[in-house]
Amino acid sequence: DGNIIVDAIYDKVFDNFYLESDLVRVGKRFVINFGTEKKPKNYTYFYCGVINAKGEELIPCNKYRELYFTEDNLLIAHGERMGRECALIDLNGNEIIPYNRFSDIYHFVNGFARAKTVEKKWIVIDLSGNEIIKEEEVDPQIGYIPFESLKMKSEFKIIVS
């Protein structure tokens, strides 16, 4: 319609409205100076949040450095310590999988995702954070599951398109 839904209070809009739920990730900029007064080194980062199509802020831009949509309107959230803490949250900001367990979680597909533990071990988890495939069955170099491991798991199906 061309109607303004949200005033220009965000520094960045990360994507278009997401699927049928009409959600979008937005960000507010902040700058960190890692240099000295004589040699300033400013780095620009964003705090991420989520708004709906009415402009209502579901997750405020004050806590998460990165947010990624995944299945069932859940979000993979990275906090202040990027690459060291990662959680799975719902649209109310409730932690489904808490920060202290994983340093990274990849996108969920059919309820499963690759995850890197804080001990730097790759595993496969479900949406509750339960370990489905153990570290010794995941290639440590790339975090992928070798084909032989999948063949041994009767509950997994391999689909080739």
Side-chain angles (χ1 to χ4, degrees), residues 7 27 51 70 80 114 119 129 134-135 149 157 160:
D7 291 328
I51 62 171
T70 192
E80 284 294 325
R114 293 181 297 135
E119 295 85 19
K134 297 179 182 348
E135 174 202 11
S149 294
K157 294 179 182 168
V160 179

Side-chain angles (χ1 to χ4, degrees), residues 15-80:
D15 38 31
N16 295 323
F17 282 100
Y18 182 73
L19 300 176
E20 67 280 348
S21 56
D22 286 335
L23 303 174
V24 67
R25 296 175 302 145
V26 292
K28 289 188 178 178
R29 180 187 336 256
F30 68 97
V31 177
I32 296 178
N33 182 348
F34 289 107
T36 63
E37 192 174 318
K38 289 183 179 183
K39 268 188 141 177
K41 269 193 173 179
N42 292 330
Y43 293 92
T44 301
Y45 298 100
F46 292 91
Y47 279 115
C48 298
V50 174
I51 62 171
N52 63 19
K54 297 175 187 169
E56 298 166 331
E57 198 170 57
L58 303 178
I59 297 178
C61 297
N62 62 4
K63 183 175 181 181
Y64 304 110
R65 294 278 296 277
E66 288 184 1
L67 289 172
Y68 298 101
F69 287 107
T70 192
E71 294 183 350
D72 300 328
N73 280 334
L74 298 174
L75 295 118
I76 297 169
H78 293 267
E80 284 294 325

Side-chain angles (χ1 to χ4, degrees), residues 107-127:
H107 190 78
F108 281 87
V109 177
N110 296 325
F112 301 100
R114 293 181 297 135
K116 191 178 201 180
T117 66
V118 291
E119 295 85 19
K120 301 190 183 323
K121 297 176 182 178
W122 286 100
I123 62 172
V124 175
I125 60 172
D126 64 15
L127 286 166

